[in-house]
């Protein structure tokens, strides 16, 4: 597998396609931010009607100094270890998330030999959020910041609050819809669970290894979108707590530093959450529509790596099987379309099975292999049931390695 990946990377580099893709990736994020400060609202310490935009850009702030490029005020005489210093770090957090997301996207682009749709989805969200706040909402309001702020851009709504709460809400919604508790619900699963945890001390039902290693490995990522297609309850708890600690105090820190009023951060937080809910709904609809393209290249530049959780795909397979077996489809054209959709589900199941391969896991344990083997068996049995039904209905399909499958047989 490593030789194949290295070979693909070499081909991409020789063809000069990888630099182009990385350039497109960075452009998607940098373009909305390139405008810098889009609005100017003078404060008492820098107001000068005779200067351009009514602001004396050379005036020295008496309350501290401005951290250029981040719109963060560092208070004068602030101690290294103090509430103000911690709030300065939290003020930088949205930009750190954006920077690490770029790093995550670049690393993934080398792994995938293209730009992943997961990374593209988040970076587009950042671009739309920043552009709408800086070039629409702030221009409409033109409300200045508090007098003790050292920034000269307008403050309504708070851009930091929009980003931090928007990032958290997008993470929260995506993680909630991916969460499926991993608990034994039948005798076979119970025996596997007992075998995996035999002789191990547990804390609230979880082994120490599960808390420190397994779940950390499952949600490790530089951006607020999980790399795992499905999370268990411990994954979700760790993921939400980590990003909540990083992002939720940001609006509070803006008020402490006198960079925004409570009204500005409250409206900004609500706006960011609303934008995240709308954007998540749009992304979910696209995921349902194009989940059959998992692992495939789109437009020659992007690689689809942002899947639905596996239980949603399995549920869809069972629903399609039930419709075909029970003859609940009202017309022959709809029945043919259902059979075609069912045949296409084979590729989706194959992609999920590839994620269970031991070679994809860099820190596997014995219990991981037991759980993965159980999940692999379930997916293989479901795939076998689909193929049996299609063969019984006279539907032919190509080899699994092909990009598409052959049309169905006689109705």
């Amino acid at each position: 597998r490593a030789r194949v990946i290295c070979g693909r990377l070499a081909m991409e580099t020789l063809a000069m396609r990888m630099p182009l893709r990385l350039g497109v990736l960075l452009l998607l994020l940098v373009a909305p931010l390139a405008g810098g400060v889009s609005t100017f609202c003078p404060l008492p310490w820098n107001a000068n009607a005779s200067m351009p935009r009514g602001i004396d850009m050379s005036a020295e702030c008496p309350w501290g100094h401005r951290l250029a490029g981040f719109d963060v005020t560092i208070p004068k005489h602030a101690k290294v270890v103090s509430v103000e210093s911690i709030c300065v770090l939290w003020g930088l957090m949205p930009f750190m998330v954006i920077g690490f997301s770029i790093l995550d996207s670049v690393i993934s682009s080398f792994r995938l030999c293209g730009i992943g749709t997961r990374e593209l989805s988040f970076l587009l969200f950042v671009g739309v959020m920043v552009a709408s706040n800086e070039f629409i909402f702030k221009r409409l309001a033109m409300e200045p910041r508090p007098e003790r702020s050292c920034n000269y851009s307008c403050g309504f709504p708070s851009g930091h609050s929009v980003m931090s709460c928007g990032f958290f809400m997008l993470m929260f919604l995506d993680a909630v819809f991916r969460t499926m508790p991993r608990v034994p619900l039948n005798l076979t699963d119970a025996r596997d669970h007992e075998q995996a945890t035999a002789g191990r001390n547990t804390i609230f039902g979880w082994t120490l290894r599960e808390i420190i290693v397994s779940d950390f490995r499952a949600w490790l990522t530089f951006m607020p979108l999980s790399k795992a297609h499905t999370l268990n309850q411990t994954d979700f708890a760790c993921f939400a707590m980590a990003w909540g600690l990083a992002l939720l105090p940001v609006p509070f820190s803006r008020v402490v530093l006198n960079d925004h009023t409570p009204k500005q951060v409250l409206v900004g937080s609500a706006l960011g959450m609303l934008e995240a809910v709308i954007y998540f709904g749009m992304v979910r609809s696209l995921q349902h529509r194009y989940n059959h393209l998992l692992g495939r290249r789109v437009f020659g530049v992007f690689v689809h790596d942002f899947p639905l959780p596996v239980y949603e795909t399995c549920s869809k397979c069972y629903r399609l099987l039930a419709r075909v077996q029970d003859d609940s489809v009202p017309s022959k054209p709809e029945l043919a379309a259902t059979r075609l959709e069912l045949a296409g589900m084979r590729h989706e199941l194959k992609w999920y099975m590839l994620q269970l391969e031991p070679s994809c896991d860099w820190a596997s344990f014995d219990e991981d292999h037991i759980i993965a083997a159980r999940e692999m068996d379930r997916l293989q049995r479901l795939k076998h049931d689909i193929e049996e039904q299609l063969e019984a209905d006279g539907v032919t399909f190509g080899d699994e390695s092909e990009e598409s499958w052959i049309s169905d047989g006689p109705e």
Side-chain angles (χ1 to χ4, degrees):
R1 189 180 185 86
R3 288 195 297 270
V4 171
I5 293 176
C6 292
R8 290 175 62 189
L9 283 172
M11 293 177 63
E12 293 283 342
T13 303
L14 291 175
M16 298 300 292
R17 295 167 66 184
M18 182 62 72
L20 174 63
R21 290 171 181 173
L22 294 178
V24 172
L25 173 66
L26 296 176
L27 182 63
L28 288 172
L29 181 65
V30 173
L33 303 175
V37 178
S38 60
T39 55
F40 295 86
C41 292
L43 296 174
W45 61 268
N46 64 3
N48 189 334
S50 63
M51 303 291 289
R53 304 186 184 91
I55 296 178
D56 182 4
M57 305 296 289
S58 62
E60 183 178 353
C61 178
W63 316 112
H65 64 275
R66 171 178 178 264
L67 195 57
F70 301 100
D71 279 348
V72 175
T73 296
I74 302 179
K76 184 179 292 186
H77 308 304
K79 297 181 180 179
V80 176
V81 181
S82 63
V83 174
E84 290 81 4
S85 298
I86 297 175
C87 288
V88 168
L89 293 178
W90 262 317
L92 299 176
M93 190 59 66
F95 299 95
M96 294 174 63
V97 172
I98 295 174
F100 281 118
S101 297
I102 296 178
L103 176 62
D104 192 310
S105 303
V106 172
I107 294 174
S108 296
S109 69
F110 282 102
R111 177 176 57 86
L112 298 171
C113 294
I115 303 172
T117 52
R118 166 182 166 270
E119 294 77 16
L120 175 68
S121 172
F122 182 73
L123 295 182
L124 282 177
F125 177 64
V126 173
V128 171
M129 177 181 290
V130 172
S132 61
N133 191 65
E134 294 297 327
F135 299 106
I136 298 178
F137 300 120
K138 283 193 175 183
R139 288 180 180 272
L140 291 175
M142 296 297 292
E143 180 177 304
R145 297 172 183 267
E147 295 183 2
R148 297 176 68 92
S149 174
C150 291
N151 298 300
Y152 41 79
S153 61
C154 297
F156 184 87
S158 167
H160 287 70
S161 301
V162 169
M163 287 190 290
S164 60
C165 291
F167 295 165
F168 179 81
M169 179 58 71
L170 186 65
M171 176 283 304
F172 183 83
L173 292 173
D174 182 74
V176 163
F177 277 82
R178 296 185 182 281
T179 301
M180 181 177 67
R182 183 184 294 172
V183 292
L185 297 176
N186 55 56
L187 285 176
T188 302
D189 292 350
R191 292 189 179 100
D192 291 341
H193 180 77
E194 291 299 320
Q195 180 182 353
T197 59
R200 297 180 183 272
N201 296 322
T202 60
I203 304 174
F204 301 112
W206 304 318
T207 64
L208 185 62
R209 196 274 309 169
E210 287 177 325
I211 296 174
I212 297 179
V213 180
S214 178
D215 299 288
F216 178 76
R217 181 185 64 234
W219 54 261
L220 178 62
T221 175
F222 289 128
M223 66 174 58
L225 290 177
S226 173
K227 285 188 176 181
H229 58 74
T230 306
L231 303 172
N232 61 41
Q233 63 271 35
T234 318
D235 296 333
F236 172 77
C238 295
F239 199 52
M241 286 191 295
W243 284 106
L245 180 62
L247 295 172
L248 291 182
V250 171
F252 169 79
S253 72
R254 305 299 289 159
V255 176
V256 172
L257 296 176
N258 293 299
D259 279 329
H260 288 287
T261 64
K263 181 189 74 171
Q264 292 172 350
V265 299
L266 181 62
V267 174
S269 301
L271 181 61
M273 290 184 177
L274 178 62
E275 291 177 348
V277 171
I278 296 173
Y279 189 80
F280 176 75
M282 297 170 58
V283 170
R284 281 281 294 180
S285 64
L286 292 175
Q287 285 178 314
H288 279 283
R289 186 172 182 178
Y290 296 108
N291 202 55
H292 64 282
L293 296 178
L294 282 173
R296 295 179 179 176
R297 198 171 295 277
V298 182
F299 300 122
V301 177
F302 307 105
V303 178
H304 190 11
D305 68 338
F306 198 24
L308 292 170
V310 65
Y311 64 85
E312 288 195 35
T313 300
C314 292
S315 176
K316 182 179 179 180
C317 289
Y318 285 120
R319 293 198 305 270
L320 292 174
L321 275 173
R323 294 179 64 188
V324 172
Q325 291 177 356
D326 299 341
D327 294 328
S328 60
V329 183
S331 63
K332 287 186 177 181
E334 291 185 15
L335 178 61
T338 302
R339 288 170 177 168
L340 294 178
E341 188 175 5
L342 187 59
M345 298 299 295
R346 297 168 55 254
H347 173 79
E348 295 183 40
L349 293 176
K350 180 186 176 184
W351 186 89
Y352 289 106
M353 286 189 284
L354 287 175
Q355 311 311 305
L356 295 172
E357 291 185 356
S359 58
C360 298
D361 201 343
W362 55 268
S364 297
F365 291 81
D366 293 340
E367 50 266 46
D368 292 323
H369 295 301
I370 294 174
I371 295 172
R374 184 180 65 201
E375 297 298 327
M376 178 72 77
D377 180 64
R378 289 178 178 174
L379 294 176
Q380 287 176 341
R381 282 190 280 110
L382 177 56
K383 183 170 176 287
H384 178 71
D385 291 342
I386 292 175
E387 293 174 348
E388 276 192 342
Q389 182 63 44
L390 293 175
E391 290 176 359
D393 293 339
V395 179
T396 58
F397 38 83
D399 184 76
E400 294 177 358
S401 62
E402 297 178 0
E403 287 293 322
S404 61
W405 42 273
I406 303 173
S407 60
D408 63 334
E411 297 179 358

